[in-house]
Amino acid sequence: QLDSNPCGVLHALRSSPNNNREEHAFAWIANHTDASVDATCSHLECYGFPRDKIQFLPYSSKAEWVTKYPHAFPYVHCDELGAVTGYPHWSPQAQSALDVPPEIVHGT
């Protein structure tokens, strides 16, 4: 399955230390390999997202993911070479994909 669709999203989950609510973060994986997933999981762990609460979801493109799930924007990005950038973040103001700047969606 990953051979035909090597990109997708890592969905990370943690409990907020302040109010015991769940917090989610999303990371785009441009090329799914063990090394790219490991690097991205390590990056997310730096922000309190435990590795055992991170799941890979294959998806066709970042633009299609953001169009379908604007509240789950992947602010963390792992490029085709495995370089990880960005910070976990969520935007409660996003009502649709149009609320996310196109240069961010298509810049990958």
Side-chain angles (χ1 to χ4, degrees):
Q1 179 178 349
L2 291 177
D3 291 337
S4 63
N5 192 14
C7 55
V9 170
L10 284 181
H11 173 218
L13 177 67
R14 71 178 181 186
S15 294
S16 171
N18 297 334
N19 56 15
N20 294 328
R21 68 181 183 138
E22 289 184 344
E23 295 180 346
H24 301 263
F26 300 89
W28 182 254
I29 303 288
N31 183 26
H32 184 282
T33 65
D34 289 342
S36 65
V37 170
D38 185 57
T40 308
C41 286
S42 293
H43 185 79
L44 291 168
E45 282 180 310
C46 292
Y47 298 95
F49 292 93
R51 192 174 291 252
D52 65 338
K53 300 284 187 180
I54 300 174
Q55 178 182 13
F56 179 74
L57 307 168
Y59 216 78
S60 53
S61 76
K62 186 176 182 181
E64 288 182 20
W65 173 269
V66 173
T67 298
K68 187 164 184 173
Y69 305 107
H71 292 288
F73 188 84
Y75 287 99
V76 173
H77 180 81
C78 182
D79 68 17
E80 290 82 2
L81 300 176
V84 182
T85 56
Y87 304 96
H89 184 268
W90 65 282
S91 178
Q93 289 80 31
Q95 298 300 311
S96 75
L98 298 176
D99 294 332
V100 180
E103 62 273 12
I104 293 174
V105 175
H106 299 290
T108 60

